Amino acid sequence: MRVKICGITQLAQGLEIVDLGATSLGFICVQESPRYLIPEKIKAISQKLPSKVDKVGVFANHSAAEIIAVVEQGSLTSVQLHGKESPDFCRQLRTQLSGMEIIKAFRIKSATSLEETKAYSDCVDTLLLDAYHPQMLGGTGQTIDWQDLEQFDPPLPWLLAGGLTPDNVVIALARLKPNGIDLSSGVERSPGDKDLGKVAQLFGVINQQPLM
């Protein structure tokens, strides 16, 4: 199972989180976020991470030129789009970033929100479902109504996000069948400062599950 820890801001924490078992690390490229990092700081971390780890840049309503510039400056390997990017935008970006994973995030307000994902099945590589918040794009600590997702079976790999913690992740995985999970605030002391004890607890509980 893919485990993505998002909102990394410190090299030492990133390295420790990878050692604990994370397969992907996320870097916030949205300036309004308290977890935002400039491209130079992303690069300083990403270049010291093992090559096997996905280095995901999280963007929201940026232009293609802005995304490409940060990808190159920050030595990123994947792009996560967390705004109102259209299928056409994703298709064009995918062409410009040939061979790079494009993740499209959706903020799920209700079961009907899942219909939106169908338009992206041929223009992105991975879907990510996060909780809806009227002001915040992510890292809210709020949970999706998992009942809305019990029949979700898209043609693409998908990641479950939104309020996951070491205490509820096993329940979530028992009810749903995502290809991976994405955590941020659920393993933090404060925005961007990861609680390595909680990260270790997370991997302790998910590694005990037969479905892993």
Side-chain angles (χ1 to χ4, degrees):
M1 169 168 283
R2 185 177 188 179
V3 180
K4 176 172 171 277
I5 304 298
C6 204
I8 299 298
T9 62
Q10 301 176 38
L11 173 60
Q13 290 185 354
L15 291 170
E16 181 66 22
I17 288 168
V18 170
D19 285 344
L20 287 168
T23 58
S24 304
L25 297 185
F27 301 95
I28 306 302
C29 305
V30 180
Q31 291 188 21
E32 295 78 10
S33 170
R35 301 174 181 88
Y36 170 72
L37 283 186
I38 62 173
E40 291 81 2
K41 289 189 176 180
I42 295 174
K43 180 178 180 179
I45 297 173
S46 64
Q47 288 195 330
K48 293 180 172 62
L49 296 172
S51 58
K52 64 180 181 179
V53 177
D54 303 318
K55 296 90 174 176
V56 185
V58 180
F59 300 86
N61 304 317
H62 291 72
S63 69
E66 289 172 323
I67 293 170
I68 292 168
V70 175
V71 164
E72 293 175 349
Q73 294 170 37
S75 298
L76 298 171
T77 63
S78 300
V79 167
Q80 179 176 317
L81 303 174
H82 223 292
K84 297 180 179 179
E85 298 84 7
S86 68
D88 282 344
F89 179 88
C90 294
R91 204 170 282 114
Q92 293 168 12
L93 185 64
R94 199 180 194 188
T95 299
Q96 293 173 284
L97 293 174
S98 180
M100 179 170 288
E101 178 190 30
I102 305 294
I103 303 169
K104 181 68 182 82
F106 300 86
R107 298 187 294 154
I108 305 303
K109 192 173 185 179
S110 66
T112 57
S113 304
L114 298 173
E115 291 297 312
E116 185 184 355
T117 68
K118 295 178 180 179
Y120 293 80
S121 60
D122 68 342
C123 58
V124 302
D125 302 288
T126 306
L127 306 175
L128 184 148
L129 304 188
D130 202 352
Y132 174 83
H133 187 283
Q135 283 84 40
M136 298 174 65
L137 293 176
T140 66
Q142 296 186 3
T143 306
I144 305 172
D145 185 343
W146 295 333
Q147 185 174 344
D148 292 340
L149 308 183
E150 287 179 348
Q151 304 303 317
F152 187 60
D153 187 23
L156 299 176
W158 69 282
L159 306 179
L160 176 65
L164 294 178
T165 72
D167 296 320
N168 67 13
V169 69
V170 172
I171 299 171
L173 294 175
R175 293 185 62 177
L176 311 172
K177 302 299 178 187
N179 301 97
I181 54 176
D182 183 307
L183 291 87
S184 182
S185 62
V187 288
E188 283 183 329
R189 285 185 287 261
S190 62
D193 182 15
K194 302 307 178 189
D195 185 326
L196 297 179
K198 289 184 178 179
V199 178
Q201 182 187 356
L202 170 73
F203 285 101
V205 296
I206 64 175
N207 288 335
Q208 293 174 14
Q209 301 307 302
L211 53 81
M212 297 297 145

